[in-house]
Amino acid sequence: MKKRHIYLFLFLSSLIFPMSHLTAQDNKYKDIIKPEGIKNKKYIVTLSGLGDLEFLKPININLGMSVSAGLRILSKPKIKQGKSAYSPRIAERELYIKPTFGYIYRKRYNTAFFFVPEIAYRHTFYKGIFIEVNVDVGYMYTKMNAPVYERQDDGSFKKVSFGYNNIMAGGKVVAGYDFSKNLKTPIAIQFGPGVFYRYPSNQKWIRHIYVELGVSYVFRKIKE
């Protein structure tokens, strides 16, 4: 009986020890091998086409363009368990300052040039799809496209350069796909609606609704 107990003990020990050994091996390099995407430097340059919508009959679309540089000031990744301990699912939560220059051309009326230092929050899911919310306050100068003449004291008219200085405030929500997240291609695309108000214009705020289609170059550099 004693021999049977000894044999049974050895048999169970042989089963338990390899399992504990494998578990130890699984976690052996967990603290040595760090998953990518947690610590990195990231900058974004975006070129966008704009469509300023006028809801008249018929609907009129005034086209424009903008270019922005996204400077990341805060990053807090969200980590979820993946297929293994070495390949977690990482969602990026980031805050950017985005100096933005652009223009909108309104045929037979004016061309609006603007500068906006946007504040943007971007949430990029682990598959590369992202949603971005922007809030901005900036400056707009609208230059008349048609010739403008000013009446002089002697009754004559003189051609002058004429435009309006405006404050603009607004925001936008865009969604897109960041190919640099998993495919290692430094490109992202985005699309979404936005709204901005400009003041003064006939002594009141004027609302503009627009859509934006953009393509970005994404600079990523892994920190050591």
Side-chain angles (χ1 to χ4, degrees), residues 27 33 43 46 60 63 109 134 153-154 177 204 218 224:
N27 296 323
I33 300 175
Y43 307 96
T46 304
N60 187 34
L63 300 180
Y109 187 39
N134 294 255
D153 294 336
D154 60 1
Y177 187 82
K204 61 181 181 180
V218 183
E224 298 295 337

Side-chain angles (χ1 to χ4, degrees), residues 112-208:
F113 302 93
F114 60 86
F115 168 69
V116 177
E118 301 181 24
I119 299 293
Y121 171 74
R122 176 180 289 214
H123 188 107
T124 305
F125 299 92
Y126 76 95
K127 288 188 176 181
I129 298 171
F130 69 86
I131 297 175
E132 182 176 301
V133 179
N134 294 255
V135 177
D136 49 69
V137 177
Y139 168 76
M140 173 181 284
Y141 176 76
T142 54
K143 182 182 182 303
M144 306 301 294
N145 293 332
V148 177
Y149 294 87
E150 185 179 70
R151 188 176 186 277
Q152 307 299 305
D153 294 336
D154 60 1
S156 63
F157 289 87
K158 179 182 177 181
K159 186 177 180 180
V160 295
S161 298
F162 187 73
Y164 296 95
N165 296 298
N166 293 153
I167 297 173
M168 64 180 297
K172 64 184 177 186
V173 178
V174 298
Y177 187 82
D178 187 348
F179 293 91
S180 72
K181 176 68 173 169
N182 297 312
L183 302 180
K184 309 303 180 183
T185 302
I187 299 295
I189 56 175
Q190 65 185 46
F191 177 80
V195 61
F196 70 87
Y197 293 80
R198 63 185 179 91
Y199 176 88
S201 182
N202 298 323
Q203 304 303 315
K204 61 181 181 180
W205 290 88
I206 300 296
R207 184 181 64 177
H208 295 259

Side-chain angles (χ1 to χ4, degrees), residues 38 52-53 66 68 100-102 117 125 136 162 199 206 208 222:
I38 295 179
D52 183 34
L53 307 177
S66 70
S68 67
T100 302
F101 298 86
F125 299 92
D136 49 69
F162 187 73
Y199 176 88
I206 300 296
H208 295 259
I222 298 175

